Amino acid sequence: MIASLVLGLTGCGGQNEASQTPKVSYASVVSFGDSLSDPGAYKVGSIAALGGGMFTVNGITGGVGSDPTPSYTWAQLVAAAVVGTPSCAARTGGFGVSVTTVAGCTNYAQGGSRITNPVGTGYNGGNGALTEPVVMQVTNYLNSRSNGRFTGSELVTVQGGANELFAQAGILAAAATQAGAATFVSSLAGSLAVDASNPSTAGTAIAVAMVTEAANPGNTTNTIVAAGLGAAAAAGNTQVGSSAYYLPKVAAANTAGLAAAASYVANTGGPQAVSAMMDAAVELSDSVKGMRTSGATKIVVSNLPDVSLTPYGLGQDSATRQLILAMTQAFNAKLRSELAGLSGVLFVDVFTENQRQVATPSQFGLSNVTDTACNLNYGVNPLATAGNNDGSSLVCKPSNLIAGNTSRYLFADGVHPTPYGHKLLAQLVTKELILAGWL
């Protein structure tokens, strides 16, 4: 309730009465992070022409505190609560538009950004998102200062790590697929070789034929199997022309491949992904510590929300959801431990608050915590691919939402909050600032 009051006062100027004067005065709010904090780095060129630019429901206008909740991210709302004005994108561009540094703007967050790796989600070889990593965002800000240091009068907000999770999920999926495919090939080749003229040499020949076909662009499971059957026939297996003969073998090989992929995830890839998330947390904490060394005196660091509870997470099988949760928790725990006791740093537990929102949505005024407010289908969302519902909130706006009242939905797309979701996050951060005596 206190946080709501602060945000509401900000919309009216915030300093009309002496009792409303913040305990701590800031010259600016400087933000670093990814799409969760991005105030419109990509609101340029074709993205702007589509009415997009932010990873939420775009184009809802109105002052801070108005209803329906206007299109601001939590970092912008915190800036409004602290200095009276929502923050703006310090660097804009991407998607074919050259980078521009915007004078007077101090929010450096960009959708898709990682912590140290410049190749973030949606980078696309430089033709997509900018994805300047957090460490580069900090450097860009310091380079804008006359002495290359923070003034100490800034409130700094930092968040990141989600794109590390998505990157690790992609690495894991590719490796698991490779492990499953290798087992599928070896299993099918072995079973077909048994009935060849020379089983000891036929197995290798069949496997080579399948692997060769798998390397061809446009291959399918059917063409790979056909290559194996052709090699088996050439090796003297006279039964491969019968579907009653080879289909059970293909099914058995497929089962073996799926088991191998699952085993890889459980025993190798999964633990590696969790470890990589802990490494990412150290990278982010090192960046925060570097900010302190460079003169920052008040830094708000938020952890990851529960990614397993997003529509993206809910769309996965149980084992994958558990791994996503483990990756998230590992990152958050390591980040907290690395920052523990560091003066001038306020750690905000977004994860726990997010779990509360999903468990008791009515207490937060939420009407839906599982579905997406944006219609992400091809033909409706401009960034969706043919035949899929893989669009993005980057170009979501009131005209391409799903039917019905979505103003109190938590999620805009698979992972990004609606403006109302951002408002809830901003209220959490503002409350923590007040409790810490920072506001």
Side-chain angles (χ1 to χ4, degrees):
M1 186 167 63
I2 294 173
S4 297
L5 178 61
V6 171
L7 288 174
L9 290 172
T10 300
C12 301
Q15 296 184 2
N16 293 332
E17 302 292 341
S19 62
Q20 296 172 3
T21 302
K23 293 182 179 180
V24 181
S25 178
Y26 301 96
S28 62
V29 175
V30 181
S31 297
F32 307 113
D34 53 35
S35 55
L36 197 61
S37 301
D38 184 350
Y42 306 131
K43 195 177 290 186
V44 294
S46 61
I47 299 299
L50 291 169
M54 296 170 63
F55 293 85
T56 186
V57 181
N58 292 269
I60 303 176
T61 59
V64 174
S66 63
D67 189 47
T69 309
S71 300
Y72 292 118
T73 64
W74 74 273
Q76 292 181 284
L77 292 172
V78 168
V82 172
V83 297
T85 306
S87 59
C88 50
R91 286 168 65 80
T92 62
F95 299 94
V97 178
S98 299
V99 180
T100 297
T101 298
V102 183
C105 293
T106 56
N107 188 323
Y108 288 79
Q110 296 175 357
S113 291
R114 298 177 65 178
I115 298 168
T116 61
N117 193 328
V119 181
T121 305
Y123 179 70
N124 192 25
N127 295 317
L130 297 175
T131 69
E132 293 173 339
V134 171
V135 292
M136 185 183 296
Q137 294 170 21
V138 176
T139 297
N140 288 336
Y141 175 70
L142 294 179
N143 286 342
S144 72
R145 314 306 301 172
S146 59
N147 61 354
R149 292 179 57 82
F150 289 89
T151 64
S153 62
E154 311 98 334
L155 176 68
V156 180
T157 71
V158 182
Q159 59 78 215
N163 290 303
E164 311 300 329
L165 188 150
F166 300 141
Q168 291 304 319
I171 293 170
L172 177 59
T177 298
Q178 185 176 16
T183 297
F184 173 81
V185 168
S186 62
S187 175
L188 183 57
S191 65
L192 293 175
V194 170
D195 297 310
S197 301
N198 187 339
S200 62
T201 59
T204 299
I206 296 170
V208 168
M210 294 175 70
V211 170
T212 300
E213 171 57 25
N216 290 330
N219 75 81
T220 65
T221 300
N222 288 338
T223 64
I224 293 171
V225 169
L229 296 178
N237 185 332
T238 60
Q239 303 179 63
V240 294
S242 169
S243 60
Y245 169 81
Y246 70 76
L247 285 180
K249 296 182 183 296
V250 171
N254 187 58
T255 298
L258 292 174
S263 177
Y264 175 83
V265 170
N267 300 311
T268 304
Q272 287 177 349
V274 170
S275 178
M277 289 302 294
M278 296 175 68
D279 292 341
V282 173
E283 291 177 346
L284 188 57
S285 64
D286 284 347
S287 180
V288 171
K289 293 171 184 176
M291 294 179 211
R292 289 284 292 123
T293 302
S294 297
T297 60
K298 295 284 193 299
I299 308 173
V300 176
V301 181
S302 59
N303 63 4
L304 286 176
D306 189 344
V307 184
S308 73
L309 295 179
T310 63
Y312 158 77
L314 295 174
Q316 311 300 319
D317 59 69
S318 177
T320 302
R321 283 191 66 202
Q322 287 301 310
L323 178 57
I324 291 172
L325 177 60
M327 293 167 70
T328 304
Q329 291 176 316
F331 177 88
N332 287 346
K334 188 64 173 176
L335 183 63
R336 181 188 285 271
S337 67
E338 288 291 316
L339 296 177
L342 187 62
S343 65
V345 174
L346 177 62
F347 186 89
V348 178
D349 187 5
V350 175
F351 178 89
T352 300
E353 185 79 348
N354 183 213
Q355 289 191 321
R356 292 193 188 107
Q357 292 168 353
V358 173
T360 57
S362 61
Q363 292 185 14
F364 295 87
L366 290 162
S367 63
N368 188 300
V369 295
T370 58
D371 301 312
T372 66
C374 302
N375 187 329
L376 305 175
N377 290 317
Y378 179 73
V380 177
N381 188 287
L383 295 184
T385 57
N388 298 306
N389 63 337
D390 56 354
S392 169
S393 61
L394 181 60
V395 290
C396 177
K397 51 190 177 182
S399 62
N400 59 9
L401 295 171
I402 64 170
N405 182 4
T406 60
S407 63
R408 292 294 181 269
Y409 273 46
L410 180 57
F411 295 104
D413 62 13
V415 293
H416 298 108
T418 59
Y420 187 74
H422 277 289
K423 177 182 178 180
L424 293 176
L425 179 50
Q427 288 177 341
L428 169 66
V429 174
T430 307
K431 179 192 73 174
E432 294 299 321
L433 285 169
I434 294 170
L435 295 176
W438 285 21
L439 187 63

